[in-house]
């Protein structure tokens, strides 16, 4: 064996911090153009994460598992809407009629002992603009969130918003029925909104202004329809509560913010996580007590 001249060897493939360099095929520089998948993942990282977390996300970025939760829940909601629209022929689909009000999925105050309704109301929608608005927003926002944070976190935030929405409605608007996935959608919005505000400078200020304005505009339009359904429209003699929007967005701005701001961190070691969990449990217990003994609903 001859002597090895170390000066003639290739440099060790690590940087000064001991991290391996990307190979030439993996470098995202001017030597080659980014592929469609890489461009998409880069855009997702800019929209969803502060700057200090993007590099870690891009190292791990893949579609395994795919954003299955938000896609499946959207398909289920659309399927239920189509079923009730076709099950009883409608003169128009802008506002559905008795089909949804008599559904075993709809939350109605007189049927609150059927506990599944506190969740199942998310599958039933009051009309075309209701289902379209919710589906568009949860897909546009939910798919990127699930690519970054995966299905468990997004699913927990979404369902926490659904339950918070129905419980808030049962307390603050106890005589009104409730349909729609707005509680879950607003939980995603609330979590993302808080993350964008808190990390405003790190999430590209220009994009930060745009995303905050987009959220405000959507929320304003959606609240307009919700107020109309509650105070103006009187289909089938039932009023549709809008309080679920507030419950969902509060769940998102607390639990959602903790989940979405803790990328690549251990939630169980984050005191904010336990504070939100304890607060949420206390809220649920208070709402249960109210619905059993204090509600004015018969």
């Amino acid at each position: 064996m001859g002597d090895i001249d170390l000066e003639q060897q290739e440099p060790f493939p690590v940087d000064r911090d001991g991290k391996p360099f990307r190979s030439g095929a993996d470098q995202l520089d001017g030597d080659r153009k980014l592929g469609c998948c890489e461009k998409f993942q880069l855009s997702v990282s800019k929209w969803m994460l502060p700057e200090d977390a993007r590099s870690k996300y891009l190292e791990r970025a893949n579609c395994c598992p795919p954003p299955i939760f938000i896609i499946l829940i959207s398909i289920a909601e659309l399927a239920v809407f189509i079923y009730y629209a076709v099950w009883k022929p409608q003169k128009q689909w802008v506002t559905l009629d008795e089909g949804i009000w008599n559904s075993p999925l709809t939350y109605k105050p007189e049927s609150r002992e059927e506990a599944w309704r506190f969740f199942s109301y998310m599958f039933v929608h009051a009309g075309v603009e209701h289902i379209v608005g919710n589906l568009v927003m949860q897909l546009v926002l939910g798919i990127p969130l699930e690519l970054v944070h995966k299905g468990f976190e997004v699913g927990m935030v979404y369902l926490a918003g659904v339950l918070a929405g129905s419980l808030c409605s049962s307390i603050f608007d106890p005589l009104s029925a409730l349909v729609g996935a707005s509680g879950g959608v607003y939980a995603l919005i609330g979590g993302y909104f808080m993350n964008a505000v808190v990390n405003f400078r790190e999430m590209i200020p220009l994009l930060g202004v745009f995303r905050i304005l987009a959220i405000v505009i959507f929320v304003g339009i959606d609240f307009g329809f919700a107020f109309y359904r509650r105070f103006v429209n009187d289909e089938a003699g039932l009023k549709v509560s809008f309080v679920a929007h507030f419950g969902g967005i509060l769940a998102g701005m607390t639990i959602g913010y903790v989940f979405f701001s803790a990328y690549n961190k251990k939630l169980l070691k984050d005191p904010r996580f336990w504070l939100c969990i304890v607060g949420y449990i206390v809220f649920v217990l208070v709402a249960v007590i109210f619905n059993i003994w204090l509600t004015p609903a018969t």
Side-chain angles (χ1 to χ4, degrees):
M1 298 291 292
D3 294 336
I4 298 177
D5 188 351
L6 295 179
E7 293 183 356
Q8 296 180 359
Q9 301 300 307
E10 293 292 330
F12 291 108
V14 297
D15 61 16
R16 65 180 64 187
D17 296 322
K19 297 179 181 179
F21 285 117
R22 293 175 181 262
S23 65
D26 294 329
Q27 288 180 352
L28 301 178
D29 54 22
D31 294 339
R32 68 180 181 88
K33 294 182 179 180
L34 297 178
C36 293
C37 182
E38 291 169 331
K39 289 180 179 179
F40 175 72
Q41 298 288 6
L42 185 60
S43 297
V44 167
S45 70
K46 289 180 179 179
W47 277 92
M48 296 292 141
L49 292 168
E51 187 174 3
D52 59 352
R54 289 176 200 155
S55 59
K56 181 62 67 176
Y57 167 74
L58 291 172
E59 288 175 12
R60 302 175 176 179
N62 58 70
C63 291
C64 295
I68 189 109
F69 171 80
I70 206 70
I71 292 176
L72 287 180
I73 208 75
S74 299
I75 292 174
E77 291 166 3
L78 182 60
V80 170
F81 176 81
I82 293 174
Y83 170 78
Y84 280 108
V86 174
W87 173 66
K88 182 178 181 182
Q90 306 291 321
K91 294 179 180 178
Q92 41 76 29
W93 284 18
V94 176
T95 301
L96 299 189
D97 205 342
E98 295 180 6
I100 63 168
W101 303 126
N102 295 328
S103 169
L105 303 177
T106 300
Y107 171 79
K108 294 191 288 188
E110 64 272 18
S111 303
R112 65 188 181 282
E113 68 276 4
E114 299 172 344
W116 70 82
R117 292 177 183 262
F118 285 90
F119 284 99
S120 63
Y121 77 94
M122 69 179 176
F123 293 109
V124 189
H125 289 77
V128 171
E129 49 79 17
H130 196 197
I131 183 73
V132 170
N134 281 343
L135 287 183
V136 168
M137 196 63 193
Q138 72 185 27
L139 288 171
V140 168
L141 186 57
I143 287 178
L145 280 172
E146 194 168 344
L147 283 172
V148 172
H149 301 284
K150 303 308 178 185
F152 176 78
E153 288 86 350
V154 173
M156 290 298 99
V157 172
Y158 189 91
L159 294 177
V162 169
L163 181 58
S166 58
L167 291 177
C168 277
S169 179
S170 70
I171 294 173
F172 298 106
D173 198 7
L175 302 180
S176 295
L178 186 61
V179 294
S182 295
V185 174
Y186 273 74
L188 300 182
I189 292 173
Y192 179 71
F193 178 81
M194 283 295 294
N195 201 22
V197 170
V198 172
N199 298 294
F200 181 80
R201 293 183 178 276
E202 298 179 24
M203 294 177 76
I204 307 177
L206 183 58
L207 287 180
V209 172
F210 173 77
R211 75 190 80 194
I212 290 172
L213 284 176
I215 290 173
V216 170
I217 291 172
F218 172 82
V219 169
I221 294 173
D222 193 54
F223 263 97
F225 281 115
F227 278 110
Y228 171 79
R229 287 191 296 268
R230 174 61 180 85
F231 295 107
V232 179
N233 193 34
D234 192 19
E235 293 292 332
L238 289 175
K239 295 294 186 181
V240 183
S241 177
F242 65 92
V243 180
H245 296 70
F246 291 104
I249 205 165
L250 286 176
M253 294 175 73
T254 51
I255 293 177
Y257 168 64
V258 172
F259 272 92
F260 297 156
S261 67
Y263 179 77
N264 199 38
K265 298 176 184 177
K266 295 183 178 180
L267 276 175
L268 296 181
K269 294 184 178 180
D270 190 337
R272 298 176 306 166
F273 171 77
W274 292 110
L275 182 63
C276 287
I277 292 299
V278 171
Y280 191 84
I281 292 174
V282 170
F283 162 70
V284 171
L285 292 176
V286 170
V288 169
I289 292 171
F290 178 88
N291 276 279
I292 294 175
W293 288 295
L294 302 176
T295 180
T298 56

